[in-house]
Amino acid sequence: MGLLERLRKEWFILGIVLVIAVARLEPGVGVKGGPLKPEITITYIAVSAIFFNSGLSLKTEELTSALMHVKLHLFVQIFTLVFFPTAIWVFLQLLSITPINEWLLKGLQTVGCMPPPVSSAVILTKAVGGNEAAAIFNSAFGSFLGIVITPLLLLLFLGSSSSVPFTSIFSQLFMTVVVPLIIGQIVRRYIKDWLERKKPPFGAISSCVLLMIIYTTFCDTFANPNIDLDKFSLIIIVFIIFSVQMSFMFLTFLFSTRNNSTFTPADTVAIVFCSTHKSLTLGPVGCREVAKLV
């Protein structure tokens, strides 16, 4: 395989490196309130585009079939909203005796209490040929569950509670996830033959949108002048996150591919990405909980 062909094949990984580098050089462009207005273009337009794209590309039968896959949904939701935060809590009890910055540990617990991701799990599942319909359902359903469950988890593990703007978050999720998906399905009925004949690059389109999300996320990170963390804690926490992510992905893969499992390889892909990734849809709620403890 030539270098050019290799680069073309791995364009998404290279794109991640590139957008992070660009965000580091000029974070003001993609920061909230900046020229790109990510609070609108990303929060609403980009996420809506992802699910409209999925609505166009998926057959209605695939969505209906995914809806009835109860065993898969139970696995994903129990793992991400019960096992994940509990395992993180147990692990952090051991790390609490180390010199790692305690607020980084509390932040890790906060992330562990978040619901499944709204968009990234869908895009990654689609990119590797997984069960996209199942990923869509679990991303949406998990996000709606998180409105109620995440504050309870934060209360349980961090000892602090906060009011959640239920109506605001619910309406945002409904308008950016459910409505675009339905519209995509309606449009698909009228251009179905054209879609099957032309086969638009739905996966590449969604991946580009995800790169935009990654870019604006890192712009916010690099634009924050108040980050004052010792390098030891930062390096260790990055290593911990990577280790936890890999361990949980391996664990979900192991459970979903055991001999008596009824999951298909496509189901396994959706399970791995939906169970082990976390959304920041309720991130502000978690940040308030940590702030209360300071």
Side-chain angles (χ1 to χ4, degrees):
M1 183 183 292
L3 178 60
L4 188 60
E5 186 180 349
R6 184 69 179 179
L7 292 176
R8 188 181 294 112
K9 184 178 180 181
E10 305 295 343
W11 71 272
F12 182 67
I13 301 299
L14 294 174
I16 292 176
V17 175
L18 180 62
V19 296
I20 292 176
V22 172
R24 181 68 182 88
L25 291 173
E26 191 57 56
V29 176
V31 75
K32 287 181 180 178
L36 286 183
K37 300 292 183 184
E39 61 273 21
I40 297 174
T41 57
I42 299 299
T43 304
Y44 294 98
I45 299 176
V47 175
S48 297
I50 290 171
F51 286 93
F52 174 74
N53 190 33
S54 294
L56 274 180
S57 62
L58 284 172
K59 297 177 181 178
T60 304
E61 308 85 71
E62 292 175 326
L63 286 172
T64 305
S65 176
L67 186 64
M68 304 305 293
H69 207 332
V70 178
K71 184 179 178 181
L72 187 152
H73 306 326
L74 285 175
F75 183 100
V76 170
Q77 301 306 326
I78 290 174
F79 189 96
T80 193
L81 292 173
V82 178
F83 176 81
F84 199 122
T86 304
I88 291 295
W89 180 82
V90 172
F91 184 48
L92 293 186
Q93 299 312 299
L94 301 176
L95 292 179
S96 63
I97 62 175
T98 68
I100 300 175
N101 187 297
E102 66 172 312
W103 301 114
L104 281 176
L105 298 182
K106 291 182 184 297
L108 186 58
Q109 181 66 71
T110 300
V111 172
C113 294
M114 294 295 114
V118 175
S119 54
S120 61
V122 175
I123 294 172
L124 294 172
T125 299
K126 183 181 183 66
V128 293
N131 189 336
E132 183 187 0
I136 289 173
F137 177 84
N138 280 283
S139 294
F141 184 62
S143 295
F144 285 116
L145 278 180
I147 297 175
V148 176
I149 295 179
T150 291
L152 296 177
L153 290 174
L154 292 170
L155 176 62
L156 176 64
F157 293 113
L158 292 177
S160 180
S161 61
S162 176
S163 59
V164 179
F166 181 88
T167 304
S168 174
I169 296 176
F170 184 90
S171 60
Q172 178 185 331
L173 288 171
F174 185 79
M175 294 303 297
T176 58
V177 175
V178 179
V179 172
L181 184 66
I182 293 174
I183 293 175
Q185 283 284 285
I186 294 173
V187 173
R188 178 182 170 81
R189 290 188 177 186
Y190 293 98
I191 60 172
K192 180 180 178 180
D193 293 337
W194 181 85
L195 290 173
E196 293 180 352
R197 186 172 63 253
K198 295 295 184 179
K199 298 187 183 303
F202 291 115
I205 294 171
S206 294
S207 295
C208 288
V209 175
L210 181 56
L211 288 177
M212 288 178 58
I213 296 173
I214 293 172
Y215 169 68
T216 56
T217 300
F218 274 91
C219 281
D220 274 334
T221 301
F222 293 133
N224 187 354
N226 299 318
I227 297 179
D228 184 22
L229 299 171
D230 60 284
K231 292 182 179 179
F232 170 77
S233 293
L234 196 55
I235 292 173
I236 292 298
I237 208 71
V238 169
F239 175 76
I240 289 172
I241 292 173
F242 177 80
S243 300
V244 168
Q245 186 75 45
M246 291 299 102
S247 298
F248 283 2
M249 289 180 76
F250 176 73
L251 190 61
T252 52
F253 175 82
L254 203 62
F255 273 109
S256 60
T257 56
R258 65 190 188 281
N259 291 333
N260 60 341
S261 171
T262 58
F263 298 127
T264 65
D267 292 338
T268 296
V269 172
I271 287 170
V272 168
F273 286 127
C274 292
S275 300
T276 61
H277 289 63
K278 291 293 182 174
S279 170
L280 292 182
T281 302
L282 297 177
V285 176
C287 291
R288 289 199 297 271
E289 303 313 308
V290 176
K292 286 182 180 181
L293 301 173
V294 178

